[in-house]
Amino acid sequence: MRPYVLSLLGLLFLVGPAAGDMEFYRSITPSPGSSSAGDSSSSSGILQPGGGPDSRYQPFSNFTGSIDDHGTCQCSVLLPDTTFPVEKMEQLEFTARSLTEKFQTELSKVKEYTELISIYEKKLLNLTVQIEIMEKDSISYTELDFELIKMEVKEMEKLIIQLKESFVGSSEIVDQLEVEIWNLTVLVQKLETLDKNNILAVRREIAALKKKLKECTASKREDAPAVPPPSPGSCAHGGVVNISKPSVVQLNWRGFSYIYGAWGRDYSPRHPEQGLYWVAPLETSGRTLEYYRLYNTLDDLLLYKNAQENRVVYGQGSGTAVYNNNMYINWYNTQEIAKVNLTTNTVAVKRPLPGAAYNNRFSYANVDWQDIDFAVDENGLWVIYSTEAATGNIVISKLNDTTLEVLSTWQTKQYKPSVSNAFMVCGVLYATRTLSTRVEEIFYYYDTNTEKEGQLGIKMPKVQEKLQSINYHPFDQKLFVYNDGYLLNYDVIFQQEPQQPV
């Protein structure tokens, strides 16, 4: 019996710890009633370490054993696979993460579709309400259409009147068109009172009439001889009658914050085509002129290159002008005017402007510190300002550009603070006013040649709300406008002088 026990214990010592199975070593002996050492029948059982059997323990399900002829126990144990499946676990995690991302993507799409459906539902509801209103009352829908038709007819009436006044030769076609437009006016009034839904027929008739008017206008232009514009620097014309749409040159070189200032091109009667470009933005307060730049060409200005930057410490307001390579400015906090040589950036002349109001006493509307405004035209250097004696009305003085002496003075009846800006062309003052945030109007003129003044109606589109300065260049025949930091220019269109009989 002893060899049996020792062999079995040795087997358990070798097998048990290597398998790492369950608890401490367990002894195995034949169960009660088993055969002797020579019995070769198989047996299995669990005993206490003391050697006595204990019926409370159940046999191992993964253990089988037998005793051979020599009393040696032969046993086999099925050990579990203890290797952890790391690769399978990582693959499972990757699959789970991928599915989660796909789920989140699809969920966001569902939310987006839900929001769109809600928006479309509201739009459909609004359209439904509008259609119901139109079905119940067609007048609310057609009133605006008739107003637009009336405006179109009025425009055609104005055009036919202009054609009739300026048409040379037989006016039979124009008279016929006038009759048709009058009949159309009556028809619109009748339709508006009787049939408020018959819009299409009226629009077709308007389109046909517009076509006829266009053909008539085109034929008039073809018959009229082409009149060349006045030569650069010449005053052989009847004054300003229109201006072009603005060309946006660029934002001023100091940026969006510098909305006040002036810009233009130097004019010299001796070399009118060689003038340099200048840009003079004020400080952000809108009062002080400290830095300005000079450019030899427009390309340099557009590309912000080859600039000559100068500094002054005495400029005030955006009434600056440049003439004959000299800059003319209002001296800070005084009624004095100064001439600055652009080559040396030094003050050549400084003297008071007699009686001139200053420091925001009579500045332009919407523009502060421009009580004294310099201007250049074909006749030379001017200054636009006001005095206490003129009670705020515009005063125009012709200056000697060398000494700044006042040569002649004219007093107008136009109140300066009601004007948004002004400029001179051939000795005629043109003043602007604000109509809206996008349109100015040249509404007033004063001719120093004849001392006559009057009203105009020339629309002047703009890109920003306020005009800080307007400078005219006689050779280019352009207006250089500083518009809330943007540099604009306009082509000036002149009225042609009537041809003298030969």
Side-chain angles (χ1 to χ4, degrees):
M1 186 69 182
R2 184 172 298 171
Y4 161 75
V5 174
L6 289 175
S7 299
L8 183 59
L9 287 174
L11 177 65
L12 287 175
F13 180 80
L14 295 173
V15 174
D21 193 20
M22 311 215 35
E23 303 175 13
F24 190 63
Y25 306 111
R26 293 194 170 112
S27 302
I28 303 176
T29 61
S31 59
S34 63
S35 62
S36 63
D39 191 0
S40 61
S41 63
S42 65
S43 64
S44 65
I46 303 175
L47 298 177
Q48 295 276 353
D54 191 342
S55 60
R56 291 175 299 174
Y57 292 91
Q58 301 297 323
F60 283 109
S61 61
N62 61 343
F63 168 79
T64 59
S66 63
I67 302 173
D68 61 11
D69 296 338
H70 303 289
T72 304
C73 179
Q74 303 290 334
C75 62
S76 63
V77 180
L78 298 176
L79 299 176
D81 184 8
T82 58
T83 304
F84 188 78
V86 178
E87 293 181 357
K88 293 182 179 180
M89 187 64 184
E90 288 178 347
Q91 185 177 3
L92 181 61
E93 288 180 349
F94 176 77
T95 304
R97 186 163 54 250
S98 177
L99 289 174
T100 302
E101 291 175 356
K102 290 181 180 179
F103 173 75
Q104 292 295 335
T105 302
E106 296 301 323
L107 183 62
S108 64
K109 287 182 180 179
V110 170
K111 290 180 180 179
E112 184 179 350
Y113 294 153
T114 305
E115 293 175 357
L116 287 174
I117 289 171
S118 176
I119 293 171
Y120 291 144
E121 185 179 5
K122 292 179 181 178
K123 288 184 177 180
L124 284 173
L125 181 60
N126 291 336
L127 287 173
T128 304
V129 173
Q130 291 179 16
I131 291 172
E132 289 177 354
I133 293 173
M134 289 166 59
E135 287 177 345
K136 292 177 182 178
D137 185 8
S138 63
I139 296 176
S140 62
Y141 173 68
T142 58
E143 279 180 354
L144 180 59
D145 289 304
F146 274 101
E147 288 300 321
L148 293 174
I149 290 172
K150 288 178 182 177
M151 289 176 62
E152 291 177 359
V153 173
K154 286 180 180 178
E155 288 177 1
M156 287 192 293
E157 287 177 352
K158 291 180 181 178
L159 183 57
I160 200 67
I161 291 172
Q162 292 176 2
L163 280 172
K164 197 170 182 180
E165 291 176 350
S166 60
F167 208 85
V168 179
S170 175
S171 61
E172 183 178 349
I173 299 175
V174 178
D175 293 337
Q176 184 180 352
L177 283 172
E178 186 177 19
V179 173
E180 291 186 20
I181 291 173
W182 171 253
N183 292 338
L184 181 61
T185 306
V186 176
L187 177 61
V188 170
Q189 294 174 351
K190 188 180 295 184
L191 282 173
E192 189 175 15
T193 56
L194 299 177
D195 183 4
K196 295 185 180 296
N197 292 315
N198 191 7
I199 303 297
L200 186 59
V202 180
R203 290 205 174 275
R204 285 174 179 168
E205 192 164 350
I206 287 176
L209 280 173
K210 278 186 174 181
K211 185 178 179 181
K212 289 182 181 179
L213 279 171
K214 188 176 180 180
E215 291 173 353
C216 187
T217 306
S219 64
K220 176 183 178 295
R221 288 175 180 169
E222 289 174 0
D223 296 338
V227 180
S231 59
S234 169
C235 290
H237 54 73
V240 178
V241 293
N242 206 350
I243 59 172
S244 69
K245 292 182 179 179
S247 296
V248 181
V249 176
Q250 65 174 192
L251 182 69
N252 79 90
W253 56 275
R254 300 193 72 179
F256 292 101
S257 300
Y258 295 84
I259 62 175
Y260 309 96
W263 87 292
R265 188 181 178 202
D266 178 24
Y267 175 64
S268 173
R270 289 172 294 180
H271 305 286
E273 72 286 349
Q274 297 179 3
L276 50 77
Y277 292 86
W278 58 275
V279 183
L282 303 183
E283 297 304 304
T284 53
S285 64
R287 180 177 183 178
T288 308
L289 171 60
E290 188 171 356
Y291 295 96
Y292 66 91
R293 277 187 177 182
L294 306 174
Y295 301 88
N296 289 323
T297 66
L298 183 60
D299 287 342
D300 287 347
L301 185 149
L302 292 172
L303 298 174
Y304 299 104
K305 70 176 185 178
N306 302 325
Q308 176 187 336
E309 184 172 321
N310 293 330
R311 181 172 185 250
V312 294
V313 293
Y314 39 74
Q316 175 169 290
S318 54
T320 308
V322 174
Y323 182 67
N324 269 335
N325 198 47
N326 293 292
M327 178 176 283
Y328 297 88
I329 60 175
N330 176 203
W331 198 273
Y332 184 83
N333 200 35
T334 70
Q335 64 174 191
E336 293 183 324
I337 54 179
K339 170 184 172 182
V340 181
N341 185 293
L342 294 181
T343 303
T344 60
N345 193 39
T346 56
V347 179
V349 181
K350 184 181 73 167
R351 66 185 304 160
L353 181 61
Y358 63 98
N359 280 358
N360 257 355
R361 178 65 179 122
F362 295 117
S363 186
Y364 291 128
N366 304 321
V367 183
D368 295 335
W369 310 107
Q370 202 172 348
D371 308 81
I372 298 175
D373 182 19
F374 290 94
V376 174
D377 71 354
E378 293 82 355
N379 297 330
L381 181 66
W382 304 78
V383 63
I384 305 166
Y385 60 106
S386 188
T387 63
E388 295 293 343
T391 63
N393 288 344
I394 291 177
V395 176
I396 309 166
S397 288
K398 182 74 171 62
L399 297 178
N400 182 312
D401 62 282
T402 302
T403 64
L404 297 185
E405 180 185 358
V406 174
L407 302 178
S408 301
T409 298
W410 296 263
Q411 184 171 315
T412 74
K413 297 178 182 177
Q414 179 61 49
Y415 188 55
K416 188 171 183 285
S418 68
V419 170
S420 60
N421 230 281
F423 59 95
M424 300 291 296
V425 177
C426 290
V428 180
L429 171 84
Y430 293 91
T432 63
R433 64 182 174 187
T434 301
L435 295 185
S436 69
T437 57
R438 287 294 180 268
V439 180
E440 295 281 305
E441 181 185 42
I442 302 174
F443 76 103
Y444 171 82
Y445 75 91
Y446 182 92
D447 190 344
T448 62
N449 304 296
T450 62
E451 297 188 357
K452 292 182 179 179
E453 55 190 333
Q455 300 294 315
L456 297 170
I458 302 173
K459 299 298 186 291
M460 187 175 181
K462 53 188 177 179
V463 298
Q464 295 293 326
E465 184 175 355
K466 298 177 183 178
L467 302 184
Q468 274 72 34
S469 68
I470 304 176
N471 282 289
Y472 170 68
H473 193 275
F475 185 81
D476 293 344
Q477 296 178 343
K478 290 180 180 291
L479 298 180
F480 292 80
V481 176
Y482 198 98
N483 182 198
D484 279 345
Y486 286 89
L487 314 183
L488 314 182
N489 62 29
Y490 301 75
D491 292 323
V492 179
I493 302 170
F494 298 104
Q495 181 180 0
Q496 304 303 319
E497 286 190 332
Q499 297 294 323
Q500 297 295 329
V502 180

